[in-house]
Amino acid sequence: MGYMTVQKNIRNFAIIAHIDHGKSTLADRLIQMTGGLSSREMQEQVLDNMELERERGITIKAQTVRLDYEAADGQTYQLNLIDTPGHVDFAYEVNRSLAACEGSLLVVDASQGVEAQTLANVYQAIEVDHEIVPVLNKVDLPAADCPRVCGQIEDVIGLDTSGAVNISAKTGLGVDDVLEAIVAQLPAPDGDAAAPLKAMLVDSWYDAYLGVVVLVRVIDGTLKKGQKIRMMSTDATHLVDQVGVFRPKRETVGALGPGEIGYFTAAIKQVADTRVGDTVTEDRAPCADILDGFKPSQPVVFCGLFPTDSSQFEDLREAMAKLRLNDASFDYEMETSAALGFGFRCGFLGLLHLEIIRERIEREFDIDLITTAPSVVYRLHMNDGSVMQLHNPADMPDVVKVDHIDEPWIDASILVPDEYLGAVLKLCEDRRGRQKNLSYAGSRAMLEYALPLNEVVFDFYDRLKSATRGYASFDYQLSDYKTGDLVKMAILVNAEPVDALSTIVHRERAEMRGRAMCERLKDLIPRHLFKIPIQAALGGKIIARETIAALRKDVTAKCYGGDVSRKRKLLDKQKEGKKKMRQFGKVDIPQDAFISALKMDD
């Protein structure tokens, strides 16, 4: 089959859209209409094969499938479809998927219109020179308003919508028009079959039987079984075992030619050896230049993951290694904490990524986890001119040595219906945001804000959703580091600092955060036989304090009547004992107190 499709009849395309506008459902219909799967094998969201993806109804990993389509002109076309995630945390997945295609279908919900993520993904597609076909989905809904949404696409994105296709992916209405539009409007791939092999590594994952399966897009030359290939960024060489394509099911082919997307296996042991965006070439006749690859993904949010039962540490280590096999964007290193024992400090692309990884560990490996408060990477400029990266607030060096601290800022774009604009502006101002722009797309306001990332990591997204009843859409990218007036807030329990609870906060908000933390701990730490002060401190200065009263025995029970000095004597004696106890007393902070204290929703 590999040699039968002429190059001019190949179309590579991605489907891009905001979350829930129907990407995966459209992919299902396309697979069904081209006979990729029989009706018996068909299930909803064919390409979302992770249990979590099905449950949450979101796409996490990009997936590919090859479809054969007989067009109205009687020719057979080979369509390579890449289904991409819509969430901002998985933007790097979108980025690499788009680079492997020549065109994209922009799916917009005909009732919701253009959303923040729609914009983000379209701009990425325009950056890689894609031909874009607008598709209006969900036209069977009573609220659908195609002319209005077409107007929005033209105003906000500036795409010509005269060739837009109206469909309903759920019912299958208009899906054949989409196939015709792909053939007619999207370009065929360029590439020279006679040139040396040059292929781009799009994705890779681990398979227990085949080793690492590598998804590639061939640009020049041919990739075939038995070839000795070289990865250009790591200079590793491998022997190709098997070459194939997905028509959702794996199917081996003789070779992949220019413009084709498929997979190969070569007994590679670790996914870490296959860098996404790398150039694959033949060992004996390498291509001259490396493809300008993707930016490697930079983790932006860090948090500690600890097993609740410390005997499960080894299992957790194994689980981490296995996840790392399939998700190259996830970083971790070991750390220990006095309160929580052994665990790992992990880096994520965003909060959703953190949540997904945590759920996968708890689910697939059955380990209960404690997650410490998420923090971002700060840059400390020291007095001696050196710069150090701070991932964990507990590692903060002495304040005297630090000249100033830089924190990461993001550029956020928020689309919000008019009536909630005030609430959103207030939220952004409370989070130290700086407004850059405010424009309108129809009845919705489009806000552009610069925000410090550490204010966003906590619960900005949930707050935004509740302030707007779920109507706002939010998208961000990192802009740069700016100097901030940041301080480390330590929590002292009975005059001992508790490392797992220290955080880095902005000086203006320190007192509020500190007070909230102390009040919360007061309810969480059980009473002891002596009174326990809980304090929040910035350096040597205490900014908030709560005291947990002591448990005490009624020592005056046996005195009835008589002189008051008898009672006084017993009470004073008790007081002395409590004082002594407090000096040597150890406060046990229960595990669940940590967990609740770290869920800061002040």
Side-chain angles (χ1 to χ4, degrees), residues 242-301:
Q242 187 188 62
V243 177
V245 295
F246 291 99
R247 315 172 168 266
K249 300 203 289 282
R250 268 211 306 254
E251 190 177 297
T252 52
V253 294
L256 292 173
E260 294 193 290
I261 295 179
Y263 73 89
F264 72 85
T265 61
I268 304 171
K269 303 282 190 303
Q270 294 182 2
V271 172
D273 301 340
T274 54
R275 300 239 176 100
V276 167
D278 197 356
T279 312
V280 179
T281 185
E282 198 173 348
D283 188 36
R284 283 198 310 266
C287 56
D289 49 340
I290 294 192
L291 295 159
D292 40 341
F294 297 95
K295 309 176 280 295
S297 56
Q298 286 294 323
V300 290
V301 178

Side-chain angles (χ1 to χ4, degrees), residues 200-211:
M200 180 168 82
L201 204 155
V202 183
D203 198 359
S204 55
W205 58 91
Y206 188 76
D207 179 294
Y209 300 104
L210 300 168

Side-chain angles (χ1 to χ4, degrees), residues 312-385:
Q312 285 192 311
F313 174 70
E314 280 304 320
D315 303 346
L316 180 60
R317 185 201 296 253
E318 252 171 63
M320 294 270 189
K322 280 187 182 154
L323 278 182
R324 181 92 176 88
L325 279 180
N326 269 334
D327 187 347
S329 58
F330 157 65
D331 284 330
Y332 65 93
E333 56 189 39
M334 248 192 75
E335 78 165 350
T336 52
S337 135
L340 302 169
F342 287 101
F344 293 93
R345 186 98 198 144
C346 309
F348 304 94
L349 298 172
L351 285 185
L352 181 75
H353 188 204
L354 183 157
E355 210 174 297
I356 298 273
I357 292 255
R358 193 181 71 202
E359 256 192 56
R360 284 184 66 183
I361 292 179
E362 293 191 336
R363 249 205 212 165
E364 296 170 21
F365 304 98
D366 199 27
I367 300 172
D368 281 336
L369 292 176
I370 298 172
T371 325
T372 62
S375 72
V376 299
V377 186
Y378 297 98
R379 284 198 192 138
L380 307 185
H381 292 264
M382 314 304 270
N383 287 334
D384 58 8

